[in-house]
Amino acid sequence: MMSQMPQPTALSRCPSCEEPLEAGDRFCGACGYDLSAVPAPPQDEPTIAMNGTSPRPPSAVPSVDWPVAPEVDSSNTPAPVHRAADIRGTDSGGSELPHPAGESAGVRFDRPREPDEYPLAPPAEAPLADPPLTDPRTAELATPAAGTRLCVACRSGSVDSDGYCENCGHAQPRERDHMEQELSAVSAVSDRGLRHHRNEDAFAISSTALPDGAPAVVAIVCDGVSSATRPDEASLAASRAANEALLAALPLGTHPQQAMHEAIIAASEAVNSLADAPAPHDEHTPHVNAPACTLVGAIVTPTLLIIGWVGDSRAYWVPVDRASPPARLTEDDSWAAQMVAAGLMNEAEAYADDRAHAITGWLGADSYELEPHTASFKPDRPGVVVVCTDGLWNYAEAAEHLAEVVPLDAAERPLHSAQVLVGHALDGGGHDNVTVAVLPFPAPAQGAGSA
């Protein structure tokens, strides 16, 4: 029956992820949001009438008792700001919503895991349709063949090659939307963030042994340049190529700083090769540029710390003893950094400019000239190295600020530390993809062995 069919949406953007919609869409192509569940828009009640007077509120809607902000007094002291978390809300019936003390409304990945399944209410009785409609939550479907990918929504239908469930039509989350990896001496977390439609970051972590048997721990983090074509492919290719180059060179006795330099060159060549293999749809979009990304990497041994980078992804040093100062170990290839280095602006002025994050160095076929940066350090105390994209440091730019976010037990729990740092970026707004790798220094002996 037509009355039971989901109606096409009249929305221009998805209410869940803000992705543009087309007329007749039933599900968001980016996040799979069920657009038939979107309620009808309320009656248009302008705040200011066309004649300049304010209309009276509908009598059926109770007034809201908003807190009154005091005026600025004669000493020009600004009025206190009311945060959303300070105002206790009410539900549609006027009852006060629960708001446990100390609970944050932000997103954090270090909270207890949610249960895998929730109990489902039985479907409501409905008139028979011809043919009868199937409730995807309770329908008994044939068991899919081994290796078939199942839908995350109905948990029964198989997923087609386009990423949609053949049973309920739900779009499936991309594998790279949220990724975590943990090794004994290094961990990394990457998340799509709250605003981007896909994750264009990538990472690779591993460990190996030097010729003398000492462990060497590796972390590579790459950030795809969104204004370039296929940035997600660029970051993935670069991270894999750099990691493989290091795993091949370090056991042969190549000095770690030289190995890092060669790894960045290998990553650049991998990204350049993507420009020679255009995507199938490029014939319909001829005005494209070469794939590009930034890169930052770290090698940790029992005595040495090596950093390499191109672009504006960063590495930070946070000592275990927080009485010692933290430090940023990289200098951005960016417009802001160039202005500061030339003495034309101070750091606060440069990073407040709209051009601040325009990068001046990257990996890609259209880069002006590849200039890998490498640095070698010999820390005299234990600590952790935080390797990250600007999706994190936009919310904790100064080394002192970042150190305040890093948990005190980061050296013992690097995965938890990476989760907390990603959670900090998401709590701050999550405007960009965010990727973080945490490496304890010195490298523990159990980190040896390829992984």
Side-chain angles (χ1 to χ4, degrees), residues 308-335:
W309 74 97
V310 173
D312 63 348
S313 293
R314 293 180 175 180
Y316 291 84
W317 165 256
V318 180
V320 170
D321 178 9
R322 297 305 171 85
S324 303
R328 173 152 63 97
L329 306 178
T330 57
E331 290 292 339
D332 298 342
D333 288 322
S334 70
W335 180 91

Side-chain angles (χ1 to χ4, degrees), residues 49-444:
M50 295 300 292
N51 61 7
T53 62
S54 300
R56 291 181 296 175
S59 58
V61 179
S63 61
V64 179
D65 185 17
W66 295 103
V68 178
E71 299 292 335
V72 177
D73 59 25
S74 57
S75 63
N76 291 324
T77 302
V81 175
H82 288 279
R83 298 176 300 174
D86 297 334
I87 304 174
R88 302 177 70 88
T90 59
D91 62 19
S92 57
S95 301
E96 189 170 87
L97 295 174
H99 193 146
E103 181 178 345
S104 171
V107 180
R108 298 200 69 88
F109 284 102
D110 56 330
R111 289 181 174 175
R113 296 177 61 87
E114 297 290 336
D116 291 334
E117 294 186 355
Y118 293 90
L120 296 175
E125 293 293 336
L128 291 177
D130 187 19
L133 298 176
T134 301
D135 189 328
R137 302 174 303 172
T138 59
E140 294 185 5
L141 303 179
T143 302
T148 301
R149 183 181 172 194
L150 293 180
C151 173
V152 299
C154 69
R155 299 181 180 271
S156 300
S158 57
V159 179
D160 62 21
S161 58
D162 293 328
Y164 291 85
C165 176
E166 295 178 340
N167 176 47
C168 68
H170 196 285
Q172 306 301 295
R174 297 179 179 90
E175 181 182 0
R176 289 175 62 177
D177 281 357
H178 184 81
M179 301 178 292
E180 297 186 3
Q181 187 177 357
E182 180 181 26
L183 302 180
S184 59
V186 57
S187 295
V189 177
S190 181
D191 191 86
R192 186 185 70 180
L194 305 180
R195 302 296 180 89
H196 275 230
H197 71 286
R198 66 180 174 186
N199 190 358
E200 297 169 356
D201 288 357
F203 68 80
I205 59 174
S206 59
S207 60
T208 186
L210 301 177
D212 62 358
V217 183
V218 172
I220 302 292
V221 167
C222 297
D223 184 354
V225 177
S226 295
S227 59
T229 306
R230 295 145 58 204
D232 53 332
E233 296 181 32
S235 61
L236 185 62
S239 62
R240 289 177 173 176
N243 183 64
E244 291 169 2
L246 289 172
L247 290 181
L250 292 172
L252 298 179
T254 305
H255 189 282
Q257 191 165 359
Q258 178 64 28
M260 178 63 79
H261 180 92
E262 295 172 357
I264 295 175
I265 294 176
S268 177
E269 293 173 350
V271 178
N272 292 349
S273 67
L274 296 177
D276 301 329
H281 63 270
D282 281 357
E283 60 186 12
H284 304 295
T285 54
H287 303 293
V288 296
N289 49 13
C293 69
T294 68
L295 179 149
V296 62
I299 304 172
V300 171
T301 74
T303 59
L304 199 62
L305 166 60
I306 301 296
I307 302 295
W309 74 97
V310 173
D312 63 348
S313 293
R314 293 180 175 180
Y316 291 84
W317 165 256
V318 180
V320 170
D321 178 9
R322 297 305 171 85
S324 303
R328 173 152 63 97
L329 306 178
T330 57
E331 290 292 339
D332 298 342
D333 288 322
S334 70
W335 180 91
Q338 284 192 344
M339 293 299 102
V340 174
L344 300 176
M345 291 183 175
N346 61 41
E347 191 164 326
E349 293 171 337
Y351 280 98
D353 194 283
D354 292 338
R355 297 164 289 181
H357 290 279
I359 58 174
T360 58
W362 62 87
L363 305 182
D366 60 355
S367 62
Y368 303 116
E369 183 179 357
L370 177 62
E371 296 183 4
H373 309 290
T374 61
S376 177
F377 304 90
K378 291 186 176 181
D380 60 355
R381 65 201 65 199
V384 294
V385 182
V386 176
V387 183
C388 63
T389 61
D390 60 347
L392 170 62
W393 66 254
N394 278 332
Y395 300 99
E397 184 171 348
E400 293 77 14
H401 186 186
L402 186 85
E404 293 174 358
V405 184
V406 175
L408 295 176
D409 60 352
E412 288 76 34
R413 303 173 64 195
L415 177 60
H416 173 258
S417 180
Q419 291 168 335
V420 169
L421 289 167
V422 170
H424 175 77
L426 297 181
D427 289 347
H431 285 70
D432 199 357
N433 308 143
V434 52
T435 301
V436 181
V438 177
L439 306 88
F441 179 91

